[in-house]
Amino acid sequence: MGRTNSLITLFFFLHVAASGVLGDSPYRFFTWNITYGDIWPMGVQQQGILINGQFPGPQIEAVTNDNVIVNVFNSLPEPFLISWNGIQQRRSSWQDGVYGTNCPIPPGRNFTYVMQFKDQIGSYFYFPSLAFHKAAGGFGGIRVLSRPLIPVPFPPPAGDFTLLIGDWFKANHSALKHVLDSGRDLPFPDGVLINGRGWNGNAFTVQQGTTYRFRISNVGLTASLNIRFQGHAMKLVEVEGSHTLQNTYSSLDLHLGQSCSVLVTADQPAMDYYVVVSTRFTSKVLTTTAILRYSNSGGRTAGPPPGGPTIQINWSLNQARSIRWNLTASGPRPNPQGSYHYGLVNTTRTIRLANSAPSINGKQRYAVNSVSFIPADTPLKVADFYKIPGVFSLGSISDNPTFGGGYLQTSVMAANFRDYVEIVFENYENTMQSWHIDGYSFWIVGMDGGRWSAASRKSYNLRDAVARCTVQVYPKSWSAIYMPLDNVGMWNVRSENWARQYLGQQFYLRVYSPANSWRDENPIPRNALLCGRASGRRTRPL
């Protein structure tokens, strides 16, 4: 196996280097084996998804513009895909790892993702995107570090920790999938995990008087979460690739699919302190803890875990509005992040998206503008490339809420390369929503309660709104974003509530360039897996 892996790695290095599409930046190679294994995250044996025997999976650490080659061997008895939450896959939705763009990796086969972390920094994560595998694990952290000569707006921390936080169910993912397939909603989660472990399952050792970076991602299925470090302030410095104004918080909300970085200084007496994570906007509050351990603490604890906010919406909304872009900091390139004056560019199109929870054919479904997405028999990107008719129709989802009954459709929205769009997420339900767009980062220009209207634009932040890839929408509220369509491809727009995503609250945005040029979009990978109506076709010559 080792010699085979080496030969595969060498082959891919030679052919991607020869193609010239990934430039001269360094290469980082990973070989992953995906298996099932027994895990006990909440003291109950479960079937978990392991990557190289690990739960959570191994961390990816790279530098801006690095070429990241991940050879994934699927040793599960069913198809499998991994997606990269927040990695923009510039000009290459072929590597996105969702079913709308990629054929699944069959059992016993492998697929090699060839990605460049182009012009990105920050904290992200990966996860299994197919079926309901996300409920079994298979996720891990991604760190994209700044290039050495690009200044970072804070001193180098003494250490860098990753916290993957999320709600969790004791039932196996297959049982949860069966619940959804039968037309019912998921039960309430059983608990919350930090890095795959429950109460006090992790300890982070720190030296008194020093400062540490904690990269935090909400990798859960259903719940917004709040995190706090007992007796310690958190200085927010980054969200999903954007350096922020360095506001200080005693507790911080992190919604489904979101990531951030905080600095924590060990400036308290030498003791053990709790890192507390609890659910938000839930009738029952689930809580878990880890330990922030001073190296000279002697095991003494600082008292009970501190409580946090529970159902307060305005508190969370005001905190979200306080997260602003650091306009004086460099980004992935040596220029201030605010040099692109997003607020001075006229939008060319407004898209309004409303979530709903219809019953269709007697089963619980979820929808966007009344359309509940159903997967096609062929990945949409593959069908588009080979011009296979009958797989999807452009315009199969409206630009505006219809407020009609829900219906099933393989929904694809057409969009033009280089358009500059305003997207308004409208939530008429009394539930918390979280939305993610693959392939992009966007400016969150506004959010508020009530109904959105054209007059709502008067409240937009057109100066220092933060750019990220996942936005929350509060109950009976709206959130608005500006987004330049500068990345050609077939991109997933989805709810990060995974039951809602699985039952149809998603669609695909086809960003099209008529030039059909490699300058706008990379060609189909030579190793692309082909399935469905594309089976038996060729990709391109070696």
Side-chain angles (χ1 to χ4, degrees):
M1 176 70 80
R3 177 175 172 80
T4 300
N5 289 350
S6 298
L7 289 174
I8 291 172
T9 298
L10 177 62
F11 169 76
F12 272 97
F13 175 78
L14 291 174
H15 97 255
V16 298
S19 72
V21 297
L22 298 181
D24 298 321
S25 297
Y27 286 78
R28 296 178 187 266
F29 294 93
F30 302 86
T31 300
W32 288 355
N33 185 35
I34 312 299
T35 61
Y36 281 130
D38 292 335
I39 58 174
W40 291 264
M42 301 193 70
V44 175
Q45 181 177 332
Q46 293 177 259
Q47 182 189 61
I49 291 179
L50 310 180
I51 301 179
N52 294 349
Q54 299 179 44
F55 167 73
Q59 181 158 272
I60 290 179
E61 186 162 311
V63 175
T64 301
N65 289 353
D66 278 0
N67 300 298
V68 177
I69 317 298
V70 186
N71 191 5
V72 178
F73 286 84
N74 179 18
S75 296
L76 303 181
E78 68 255 21
F80 184 77
L81 276 174
I82 286 183
S83 190
W84 320 89
N85 212 73
I87 301 301
Q88 293 178 15
Q89 310 292 0
R90 303 296 301 175
R91 301 189 303 121
S92 190
S93 62
W94 298 108
Q95 308 296 334
D96 200 29
V98 291
Y99 181 66
T101 59
N102 296 99
C103 290
I105 307 169
R109 295 274 303 277
N110 75 296
F111 176 74
T112 301
Y113 292 88
V114 181
M115 304 175 281
Q116 186 176 28
F117 290 1
K118 179 69 174 171
D119 291 337
Q120 285 191 264
I121 58 169
S123 309
Y124 310 96
F125 65 93
Y126 60 85
F127 67 96
S129 63
L130 205 61
F132 211 61
H133 285 150
K134 191 179 181 184
F139 48 75
I142 301 174
R143 298 178 186 173
V144 187
L145 308 176
S146 294
R147 286 179 284 177
L149 297 181
I150 307 299
V152 175
F154 49 87
D160 197 329
F161 299 107
T162 294
L163 275 67
L164 304 173
I165 62 176
D167 56 352
W168 191 259
F169 294 82
K170 292 180 180 179
N172 283 336
H173 78 279
S174 54
L176 297 175
K177 180 177 178 294
H178 176 74
V179 169
L180 296 174
D181 290 340
S182 66
R184 295 170 290 154
D185 200 359
L186 292 181
F188 192 73
D190 295 299
V192 177
L193 302 182
I194 300 175
N195 290 350
R197 297 183 178 182
W199 201 273
N200 291 347
N202 295 272
F204 304 97
T205 301
V206 297
Q207 299 286 333
Q208 195 170 27
T210 54
T211 299
Y212 295 82
R213 182 173 185 167
F214 287 84
R215 300 173 187 264
I216 313 162
S217 295
N218 185 341
V219 299
L221 299 176
T222 67
S224 296
L225 298 172
N226 179 272
I227 187 168
R228 47 211 180 267
F229 289 72
Q230 183 183 21
H232 295 74
M234 295 177 288
K235 182 182 290 185
L236 184 67
V237 294
E238 176 253 335
V239 294
E240 294 154 38
S242 294
H243 291 307
T244 62
L245 290 182
Q246 295 180 10
N247 296 331
T248 299
Y249 302 93
S250 58
S251 70
L252 191 64
D253 280 353
L254 207 62
H255 306 279
L256 288 165
Q258 291 185 338
S259 300
C260 72
S261 291
V262 299
L263 299 181
V264 176
T265 299
D267 56 2
Q268 298 300 306
M271 302 179 75
D272 284 359
Y273 297 87
Y274 288 108
V275 181
V276 187
V277 177
S278 57
T279 57
R280 291 284 269 122
F281 318 116
T282 56
S283 55
K284 176 183 177 183
V285 178
L286 301 175
T287 302
T288 195
T289 60
I291 299 297
L292 184 72
R293 174 160 294 150
Y294 281 57
S295 59
N296 55 341
S297 75
R300 296 174 297 162
T301 58
T310 54
I311 59 173
Q312 302 91 334
I313 292 175
N314 285 338
W315 184 95
S316 186
L317 177 62
N318 289 332
Q319 182 180 84
R321 288 170 170 162
S322 73
I323 300 174
R324 303 293 184 93
W325 219 0
N326 185 341
L327 298 183
T328 63
S330 294
R333 296 179 297 276
N335 61 296
Q337 295 192 81
S339 61
Y340 185 95
H341 296 292
Y342 71 94
L344 300 179
V345 181
N346 292 326
T347 56
T348 57
R349 178 180 178 185
T350 295
I351 301 169
R352 297 169 54 205
L353 302 174
N355 49 271
S356 59
S359 176
I360 303 176
N361 299 328
K363 293 186 176 183
Q364 176 67 68
R365 297 287 300 186
Y366 296 99
V368 188
N369 288 357
S370 302
V371 186
S372 186
F373 182 86
I374 51 173
D377 59 8
T378 307
L380 309 179
K381 180 63 182 171
V382 175
D384 199 28
F385 176 79
Y386 289 110
K387 297 180 171 56
I388 300 172
V391 176
F392 68 90
S393 297
L394 292 174
S396 45
I397 180 172
S398 170
D399 277 21
N400 296 285
T402 67
F403 302 107
Y407 61 95
L408 303 175
Q409 180 74 268
T410 303
S411 40
V412 179
M413 183 178 289
N416 295 319
F417 183 43
R418 301 195 191 284
D419 275 1
Y420 188 61
V421 299
E422 173 190 40
I423 301 178
V424 184
F425 297 96
E426 302 179 23
N427 180 13
Y428 296 95
E429 298 181 72
N430 196 28
T431 56
M432 190 72 197
Q433 304 293 318
S434 188
W435 287 92
H436 177 89
I437 302 179
D438 281 351
Y440 286 94
S441 183
F442 46 73
W443 288 279
I444 302 175
V445 294
M447 55 177 62
D448 205 350
R451 285 186 171 234
W452 180 89
S453 69
S456 303
R457 296 188 178 110
K458 295 178 182 178
S459 67
Y460 283 4
N461 175 6
L462 300 182
R463 181 179 181 273
D464 61 353
V466 73
R468 63 193 313 172
C469 58
T470 307
V471 59
Q472 72 271 31
V473 191
Y474 293 94
K476 302 294 182 70
S477 300
W478 57 267
S479 295
I481 67 172
Y482 280 1
M483 189 171 78
L485 299 184
D486 58 0
N487 198 10
V488 173
M490 186 77 71
W491 302 108
N492 190 221
V493 181
R494 63 174 177 266
S495 170
E496 284 289 283
N497 180 309
W498 218 240
R500 285 179 168 260
Q501 179 272 349
Y502 181 79
L503 291 180
Q505 199 164 294
Q506 60 172 310
F507 67 94
Y508 281 82
L509 185 70
R510 179 189 185 251
V511 180
Y512 176 70
S513 169
N516 193 26
S517 167
W518 286 17
R519 183 186 65 182
D520 295 339
E521 184 177 27
N522 292 343
I524 187 171
R526 296 185 178 104
N527 69 322
L529 299 172
L530 300 180
C531 58
R533 302 189 209 179
S535 297
R537 301 195 182 219
R538 298 183 62 188
T539 54
R540 55 193 177 100
L542 291 177

